[in-house]
């Protein structure tokens, strides 16, 4: 199938926060789904270099760096997982501060795989429904989250997902969050998402 130029369906914008050691498919599947739906998404390198090496030694080239970006310009912050990507995100004070402020203000944040543990450890999932990679579910439980084994869990403005195999589904739920059921189902059908 031939690629098509990006056509915006909304003025909403997503920041995909790309840390060294991330799980690349978790990031790219969400970015791809958002692109197809017409939701602008910038990959923002957390480190100083726009080229970021994943946990599987795949190099992603980001649009900008965290130092160059203003996270307030984005409607949703997306935290991909992976090891050591997740600890690298957590070690970045600007990210933990932005995520904390955003969740407390009721603004959307999405996290997948190990990354929901960051939200849990910041106290942002206490009493909220969430999911994560099975190896990190205990972190959510220990910090007061109501855990689920669903592929994607949406609790208000917090969207969490389990791992690489559920990344496209997370992207679909972000599309649903901004553009509604019809747009989400159209993209799901277009990518042949089986549910």
């Amino acid at each position: 199938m031939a690629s098509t130029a990006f056509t915006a369906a909304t003025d909403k914008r997503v920041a995909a926060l790309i840390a060294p050691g991330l799980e690349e498919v978790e990031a790219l599947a969400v970015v791809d789904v958002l692109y197809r739906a017409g939701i602008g998404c910038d990959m923002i390198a957390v480190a100083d270099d726009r080229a970021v090496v994943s946990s599987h030694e795949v190099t992603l080239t980001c649009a900008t760096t965290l130092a160059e970006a203003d996270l307030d310009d984005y409607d949703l912050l997306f935290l991909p997982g992976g090891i050591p990507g997740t600890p690298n995100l957590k070690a970045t004070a600007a990210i933990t501060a932005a995520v904390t402020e955003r969740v407390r203000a009721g603004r959307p944040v999405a996290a997948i795989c190990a990354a929901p543990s960051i939200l849990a450890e910041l106290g942002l999932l206490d009493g909220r429904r969430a999911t994560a990679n099975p190896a990190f579910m205990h972190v959510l439980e220990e910090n007061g989250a109501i855990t689920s084994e669903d592929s994607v869990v949406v609790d208000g403005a917090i969207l969490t997902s389990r791992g690489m195999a559920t990344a496209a589904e997370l992207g679909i739920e972000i599309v649903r969050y901004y553009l509604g059921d019809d747009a989400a189902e159209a993209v799901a059908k277009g990518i042949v998402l089986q549910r």
Side-chain angles (χ1 to χ4, degrees):
M1 188 158 101
S3 66
T4 57
F6 178 78
T7 303
T10 177
D11 62 353
K12 302 297 184 189
R13 294 175 61 216
V14 172
L17 301 171
I18 308 299
L22 81 153
E23 206 302 332
E24 67 277 1
V25 172
E26 292 171 1
L28 294 177
V30 171
V31 170
D32 180 290
V33 167
L34 297 178
Y35 183 92
R36 290 168 186 263
I39 299 173
C41 182
D42 291 338
M43 294 196 318
I44 299 175
V46 172
D48 294 333
D49 191 337
R50 290 184 186 193
V52 180
V53 179
S54 77
S55 61
H56 301 115
E57 299 185 9
V58 174
T59 301
L60 305 181
T61 303
C62 297
T64 189
T65 66
L66 187 59
E68 299 166 331
D70 183 351
L71 295 182
D72 285 338
D73 290 343
Y74 293 90
D75 299 284
L76 183 144
L77 300 183
F78 166 47
L79 285 64
I83 300 294
T86 296
N88 287 335
L89 285 174
K90 185 182 173 196
T92 307
I95 290 175
T96 56
V99 166
T100 300
E101 176 185 340
R102 186 171 287 261
V103 170
R104 289 185 177 154
R107 296 180 68 199
V109 172
I112 188 169
C113 192
S117 69
I118 298 171
L119 304 180
E121 291 173 336
L122 291 170
L124 303 174
L125 296 181
D126 188 22
R128 300 190 78 151
R129 292 182 63 249
T131 195
N133 180 280
F136 289 86
M137 291 291 274
H138 70 95
V139 179
L140 276 61
E141 292 163 358
E142 291 163 6
N143 288 281
I146 303 163
T147 57
S148 168
E149 293 185 7
D150 291 348
S151 297
V152 180
V153 174
V154 179
D155 186 321
I158 298 177
L159 301 89
T160 53
S161 188
R162 299 208 51 147
M164 185 270 282
T166 66
E169 292 177 71
L170 176 59
I172 294 295
E173 292 310 315
I174 295 171
V175 171
R176 189 181 317 281
Y177 185 86
Y178 282 118
L179 300 178
D181 292 340
D182 290 346
E185 294 312 313
V187 175
K189 182 177 179 184
I191 64 170
V192 196
L193 182 63
Q194 301 294 311
R195 296 188 263 184

